[in-house]
């Protein structure tokens, strides 16, 4: 834990956001989760191997997470799959935080075109930030929440309509069924499985709720050169149930991509290996509304697009699938077509990402 590495710190208190170099020892391959207080002060973060406090030190009892058989290979760099970690507050009045994680248990080659990544369970820990003078302590660790063969990744959350609890959806591997988890201040309730829509092949990808909580989307990247799967649903913040499934596909040359909603919850952005697409979720024909708004072509030595994130400034930021000292940006995500103003590598970072 001793050697310091250079990272980028982005602060959204100003327009444009400020970027600073920052040194701390944790490495990130793809998995990451972090959480701050209501004033934006960092509380803790993780790369899937251990949990670090705001002092960038291993939190007390924050090592020894259930990690899977790849711990030795990935211990120095962190878990290599995105959206397998999730940190959630229990309530605004409490110092307790939930931490959920999907260890990577299996990486099996399907054929020469792709491979399957599986988790055999979802786990949780509880963190008390009032311990150790605000540096925190893991007070309950490696609690099994779901025992099943699960799609690896795509952990994200939406506030319950009551404004306190959280909904988390966890998909079974290669089925049309998902677990509906209600995360309360005291516990995580497994409300069972819902089956909906078509059975979609599991694969690397990303999931997101729309900011208004009315929609849920997920991307499954299954085979090189084959169909890549986008699923769009309506979501009920009272029941945690999905409805109105819409499934459509596109083709690209590699397993890289992600998705994010616009701030007005209308447009879905899907970065892929070569292109970034915009989808109008309110169009009469949602699939026909899919159009290219960004491309790696005509860029010298381009990197593929990867995951996406709606940021506090209302812009969508897109990472690259390889080492890069910048992010791509959708400057006006609420606008249709080229008016959204996509900028390849348009947001410089302080260090390689």
């Amino acid at each position: 834990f001793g050697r310091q590495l250079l990272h980028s710190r982005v602060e959204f208190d100003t327009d444009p956001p400020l970027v600073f170099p920052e040194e701390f020892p944790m490495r990130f391959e793809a998995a990451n989760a972090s959480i701050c207080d209501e004033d934006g002060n960092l509380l803790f973060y993780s790369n899937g191997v251990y949990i670090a406090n705001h002092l960038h030190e291993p939190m007390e009892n924050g090592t020894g997470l259930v990690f899977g058989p790849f711990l030795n290979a990935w211990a120095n760099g962190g878990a290599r799959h995105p959206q397998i970690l999730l940190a959630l507050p229990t309530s605004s009045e409490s110092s307790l935080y939930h931490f959920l994680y999907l260890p990577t248990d299996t990486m099996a080659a399907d054929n020469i075109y792709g491979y399957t990544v599986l988790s055999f369970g979802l786990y949780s820990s509880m963190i008390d930030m009032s311990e150790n003078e605000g540096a925190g302590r893991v007070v309950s660790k490696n609690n099994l929440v779901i025992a099943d063969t699960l799609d690896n990744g795509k952990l994200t959350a939406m506030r319950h309509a009551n404004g306190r609890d959280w909904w988390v959806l966890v998909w079974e591997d290669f089925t049309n069924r998902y677990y509906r988890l209600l995360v309360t201040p005291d516990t995580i309730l497994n409300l069972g499985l819902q089956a909906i829509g078509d059975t979609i092949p599991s694969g690397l990808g990303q999931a997101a709720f729309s900011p208004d909580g009315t929609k849920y989307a997920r991307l499954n990247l299954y085979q090189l050169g084959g169909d890549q799967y986008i699923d769009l649903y309506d979501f009920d913040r009272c029941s945690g149930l999905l409805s109105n499934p819409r499934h459509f596909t596109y083709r690209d040359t590699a397993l890289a991509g992600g998705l994010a909603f616009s701030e007005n919850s209308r447009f879905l952005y899907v970065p892929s290996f070569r292109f970034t697409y915009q989808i109008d979720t309110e169009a009469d024909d949602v699939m026909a509304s899919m159009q290219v708004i960004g491309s790696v072509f005509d860029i010298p030595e381009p990197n593929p697009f990867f995951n996406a994130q709606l940021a506090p400034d209302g812009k969508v930021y897109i990472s690259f699938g390889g080492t890069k000292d910048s992010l791509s940006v959708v400057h006006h995500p609420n606008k249709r077509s080229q008016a959204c103003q996509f900028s390849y590598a348009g947001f410089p970072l302080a260090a390689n990402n």
Side-chain angles (χ1 to χ4, degrees), residues 31 51-52 56 75 87 121 131 151 159-160 163 193 233 250 256 261-262 285 302 308 319 334 340:
I51 301 170
H56 307 302
E131 299 278 349
D151 184 14
R159 277 283 192 193
H160 190 287
L193 287 161
Y233 307 86
Y250 68 92
F261 280 95
S262 59
D285 188 336
S319 65
N334 292 341
C340 71

Side-chain angles (χ1 to χ4, degrees), residues 10-69:
V10 183
E11 295 186 355
F12 291 94
D13 296 330
T14 62
D15 184 18
L18 297 178
V19 183
F20 303 95
E22 187 171 22
E23 290 188 337
F24 53 89
M26 184 179 287
R27 286 182 179 271
F28 298 93
E29 284 284 345
N32 69 84
S34 62
I35 198 161
C36 62
D37 64 18
E38 61 185 7
D39 297 319
N41 300 307
L42 179 66
L43 296 177
F44 64 87
Y45 60 98
S46 177
N47 61 359
V49 178
Y50 71 99
I51 301 170
N53 57 32
H54 71 278
L55 302 172
H56 307 302
E57 300 169 343
M59 183 177 287
E60 182 182 351
N61 201 29
T63 60
L65 300 177
V66 172
F67 190 86

Side-chain angles (χ1 to χ4, degrees), residues 33-108:
S34 62
I35 198 161
C36 62
D37 64 18
E38 61 185 7
D39 297 319
N41 300 307
L42 179 66
L43 296 177
F44 64 87
Y45 60 98
S46 177
N47 61 359
V49 178
Y50 71 99
I51 301 170
N53 57 32
H54 71 278
L55 302 172
H56 307 302
E57 300 169 343
M59 183 177 287
E60 182 182 351
N61 201 29
T63 60
L65 300 177
V66 172
F67 190 86
F70 303 97
L71 175 60
N72 290 335
W74 296 354
N76 291 328
R80 294 181 182 175
H81 297 119
Q83 266 195 318
I84 64 172
L85 312 172
L86 182 63
L88 294 172
T90 59
S91 73
S92 59
E93 297 81 24
S94 175
S95 62
L96 298 176
Y97 291 80
H98 293 287
F99 182 67
L100 289 80
Y101 39 105
L102 281 163
T104 300
D105 291 292
T106 297
M107 287 196 304

Side-chain angles (χ1 to χ4, degrees), residues 59-321:
M59 183 177 287
E60 182 182 351
N61 201 29
T63 60
L65 300 177
V66 172
F67 190 86
F70 303 97
L71 175 60
N72 290 335
W74 296 354
N76 291 328
R80 294 181 182 175
H81 297 119
Q83 266 195 318
I84 64 172
L85 312 172
L86 182 63
L88 294 172
T90 59
S91 73
S92 59
E93 297 81 24
S94 175
S95 62
L96 298 176
Y97 291 80
H98 293 287
F99 182 67
L100 289 80
Y101 39 105
L102 281 163
T104 300
D105 291 292
T106 297
M107 287 196 304
D110 291 335
N111 47 50
I112 63 173
Y113 300 106
Y115 64 97
T116 298
V117 182
L118 299 178
S119 299
F120 295 151
L122 173 73
Y123 294 83
S124 72
S125 293
M126 183 74 82
I127 295 168
D128 188 344
M129 290 306 302
S130 68
E131 299 278 349
N132 291 317
E133 299 180 340
R137 181 171 72 91
V138 178
V139 294
S140 176
K141 186 167 64 177
N142 294 337
N143 306 301
L144 183 62
V145 179
I146 300 173
D148 197 353
T149 303
L150 304 171
D151 184 14
N152 183 261
K154 307 176 187 72
L155 279 183
T156 187
M158 172 51 60
R159 277 283 192 193
H160 190 287
N162 65 19
R164 183 198 66 179
D165 301 332
W166 297 91
W167 292 110
V168 176
L169 310 184
V170 182
W171 291 84
E172 277 191 317
D173 173 58
F174 218 131
T175 76
N176 67 340
R177 305 195 304 175
Y178 72 94
Y179 285 95
R180 188 168 43 115
L181 302 181
L182 179 61
V183 183
T184 74
D186 300 320
T187 188
I188 300 174
L189 300 174
N190 184 346
L191 302 184
L193 287 161
Q194 179 191 6
I196 183 170
D198 300 332
T199 293
I200 302 299
S202 297
L204 296 176
Q206 192 172 3
F209 288 98
S210 60
D212 66 3
T214 64
K215 304 179 186 76
Y216 172 82
R218 64 176 181 144
L219 169 68
N220 278 290
L221 305 164
Y222 181 56
Q223 289 183 332
L224 297 175
D227 286 339
Q228 314 303 324
Y229 297 84
I230 302 171
D231 306 306
L232 178 66
Y233 307 86
D234 293 340
F235 182 71
D236 187 329
R237 290 177 60 210
C238 294
S239 67
L241 294 173
L242 299 174
S243 61
N244 190 24
R246 286 148 288 176
H247 308 290
F248 45 101
T249 62
Y250 68 92
R251 291 204 163 191
D252 211 333
T253 58
L255 296 175
L259 52 77
F261 280 95
S262 59
E263 193 172 36
N264 65 0
S265 298
R266 175 171 181 171
F267 296 105
L268 181 65
Y269 291 88
V270 183
S272 183
F273 185 81
R274 297 173 299 174
F275 305 104
T276 292
Y277 302 94
Q278 183 196 71
I279 298 170
D280 186 351
T281 66
E282 297 179 7
D284 292 336
D285 188 336
V286 175
M287 184 174 180
S289 75
M290 186 172 181
Q291 60 179 302
V292 174
I293 54 99
S295 170
V296 301
F297 293 112
D298 302 323
I299 304 294
E301 301 181 4
N303 280 9
F305 301 123
F306 196 36
N307 285 172
Q309 181 68 48
L310 175 64
D313 61 356
K315 299 182 181 183
V316 170
Y317 292 82
I318 300 169
S319 65
F320 289 100

